[in-house]
Amino acid sequence: MSIPSKPALDALQRKLGYEFSDPGLLERALTHRSAHPRHNERLEFLGDALVGMVVAAAFYKRFPDADEGVLSRLRASVVSGHALAGLARDFD
């Protein structure tokens, strides 16, 4: 694994339709711990929690009669490595 190149980061920002005010933060978010001491593990921890919360809130609102077991299974099906890896592949 390596640190993402500037052209790769620029291409990702174009695909996302969003320009990061701190490109260094984007680079860090995409850097695996095996590639560099300034890696993404802490950001990944925060991001996982944020994605989980946003998805939980959306399902809570969309399915007002569902119990917590159903909501938990729905969230787990969306916030999984497999599902998120598919989205990442879609972004190339």
Side-chain angles (χ1 to χ4, degrees):
M1 298 214 146
S2 62
I3 298 172
S5 67
K6 180 165 178 8
L9 295 175
D10 291 343
L12 176 59
Q13 289 179 98
R14 281 192 301 280
K15 278 190 172 190
L16 293 173
Y18 181 83
E19 187 173 334
F20 286 75
S21 59
D22 182 353
L25 200 53
L26 175 59
E27 178 183 308
R28 186 174 194 168
L30 298 172
T31 301
H32 190 267
R33 75 179 323 147
S34 65
H36 195 273
R38 290 196 56 191
H39 53 75
N40 65 359
E41 296 295 318
R42 287 179 52 87
L43 291 172
E44 184 176 351
F45 168 78
L46 185 60
D48 287 349
L50 182 61
V51 168
M53 192 250 348
V54 168
V55 169
F59 285 150
Y60 186 86
K61 185 176 182 179
R62 183 164 182 192
F63 304 107
D65 297 326
D67 67 28
E68 68 280 2
V70 170
L71 294 172
S72 291
R73 285 188 292 280
L74 281 170
R75 183 186 61 210
S77 71
V78 173
V79 184
S80 70
H82 182 73
L84 295 174
L87 287 172
R89 277 191 294 280
D90 290 346
F91 276 103
D92 208 16

